[in-house]
Amino acid sequence: MPSNDKNRLQRNIVNPKRGRSYPAVLIGRLGVNREYQNIPSHVGRQLMSFIKDWFRHEDNKTGCRFIVVDAYNEERVLRYYERNGFVPLYKTEEIEKQYYDIPQDEPLRTRLLYFDLKKN
């Protein structure tokens, strides 16, 4: 990970606790059926609130600090996660491609985003 991205991530972690890796849970294949995506019940927002609350609950013994997601690199999908407090791990697509050795002329299919359970 580039130094400036690593520094940005570690800013909210006290110096003695900073390390090379952090406990995180990965959300995989999260989605809402198309029938329910655009109705006022906000199923996606409710689902994300449930996930965040579950990992913040005092009975949770996972010890996770972050929720991470490898989201499809589509405006609608990224906007959903950003509205729910997720931040891209890499500031730009170019930096993320460089980290994963993806040629600059190839599309980046997913973006790595994280949510800090202690900060938000």
Side-chain angles (χ1 to χ4, degrees), residues 70-74 93 97 102 106-111:
D70 202 18
Y72 288 121
N73 192 14
E74 298 171 7
E93 287 187 33
K97 284 181 185 181
I102 298 171
E106 283 188 29
L108 184 61
R109 298 189 195 313
T110 62
R111 296 290 313 268

Side-chain angles (χ1 to χ4, degrees), residues 27-82:
I27 295 175
R29 299 290 181 194
L30 176 67
V32 173
N33 185 304
R34 285 193 174 118
E35 270 184 59
Y36 301 99
Q37 285 180 354
N38 296 316
I39 60 172
S41 68
H42 304 289
V43 174
R45 188 181 319 156
Q46 291 174 10
L47 181 58
M48 189 55 66
S49 283
F50 173 81
I51 292 169
K52 291 176 191 175
D53 291 344
W54 192 83
F55 282 98
R56 287 182 180 136
H57 194 273
E58 62 188 38
D59 291 339
N60 178 16
K61 305 290 191 267
T62 64
C64 289
R65 168 70 189 258
F66 299 100
I67 298 174
V68 294
V69 63
D70 202 18
Y72 288 121
N73 192 14
E74 298 171 7
E75 185 179 339
R76 179 181 60 83
V77 175
L78 296 174
R79 199 172 48 243
Y80 164 77
Y81 283 108
E82 288 171 358

